[in-house]
Amino acid sequence: MEALFEELERASLEDFAAQDVAHETPELRRSIAMRYQGQNYEQEVPAASGALTEAALAAAVAEYHGLHEEFYGYRFESIPVEFVWLSVVVSGREIDLPPEEAAAEDSRRTGTRDVYFPGEGFLPTTIVRLGGLAVSDQRLGPLIVESMDSTVLVPPGWRLTAAAGGVLELERGREQP
């Protein structure tokens, strides 16, 4: 397993360096997805960096038992734990773009684009950033809401309401108040 982690770390660090952020000191995080033998779902548990000793693996398995109990309300310490996959995440610090670059970046991501909707054809569709929506904002589709990790499509005839915590509520066939 240590050799696999080392291989994943090497490849991840190469990808990180290719992003032209080599001047940063990257942070490496290892994890192991575990499950009880016979289960078809797993939970990801942080793994210690450095050499994977028996004690480090035992600690990770103990943490898995605790996570399983916390999530499902029970644990099976007598059932073998399977290691399903290993993961390495390499990250750097978040960079704030200078205001003029941030504005230029946002302008490329917002505006209107023609989007194809089955039965409707191409319709001009407003593109907004999730961060540009305030709590209680309401918008009628067609609309696309973009964020760093997702894209939400609001079809024609649907209404979007922005709720607290970045939650987006969609309702079909509702007019904007």
Side-chain angles (χ1 to χ4, degrees), residues 91-112:
S91 60
R93 64 180 173 82
E94 190 173 314
I95 343 174
D96 291 326
L97 293 174
E100 62 278 0
E101 286 183 41
E105 182 69 17
D106 271 351
S107 70
R108 286 192 292 272
R109 292 187 175 154
T110 58
T112 302

Side-chain angles (χ1 to χ4, degrees), residues 76-156:
F76 292 122
E77 292 192 28
S78 61
I79 295 177
V81 173
E82 298 177 332
F83 293 6
V84 181
W85 45 264
L86 307 177
S87 174
V88 171
V89 174
V90 178
S91 60
R93 64 180 173 82
E94 190 173 314
I95 343 174
D96 291 326
L97 293 174
E100 62 278 0
E101 286 183 41
E105 182 69 17
D106 271 351
S107 70
R108 286 192 292 272
R109 292 187 175 154
T110 58
T112 302
R113 295 184 207 140
D114 287 336
V115 176
Y116 182 80
F117 293 91
E120 305 268 348
F122 284 94
L123 297 176
T125 303
T126 303
I127 313 298
V128 297
R129 299 287 295 156
L130 178 62
L133 294 172
V135 173
S136 300
D137 271 359
Q138 295 186 354
R139 307 278 180 100
L140 289 177
L143 173 73
I144 293 177
V145 180
E146 295 180 337
S147 69
M148 177 189 73
D149 59 353
S150 65
T151 301
V152 176
L153 175 68
V154 182

Side-chain angles (χ1 to χ4, degrees), residues 24-79:
E24 293 189 34
T25 302
E27 176 186 327
L28 289 165
R29 289 187 313 275
R30 294 176 168 187
S31 62
I32 304 170
M34 299 181 196
R35 66 180 176 204
Y36 288 119
Q37 186 176 35
Q39 288 183 317
N40 61 355
Y41 51 89
E42 57 275 336
Q43 289 183 298
E44 204 168 341
V45 176
S49 59
L52 272 180
T53 63
E54 283 189 36
L57 288 174
V61 169
E63 185 166 346
Y64 169 75
H65 289 302
L67 284 172
H68 191 279
E69 183 174 31
E70 184 179 316
F71 194 76
Y72 297 105
Y74 59 92
R75 63 172 65 205
F76 292 122
E77 292 192 28
S78 61
I79 295 177

Side-chain angles (χ1 to χ4, degrees), residues 1-18:
M1 282 179 52
E2 180 61 33
L4 290 172
F5 268 130
E6 288 174 3
E7 182 181 333
L8 287 170
E9 287 174 351
R10 183 182 39 72
S12 299
L13 287 168
E14 286 173 6
D15 288 346
F16 186 83

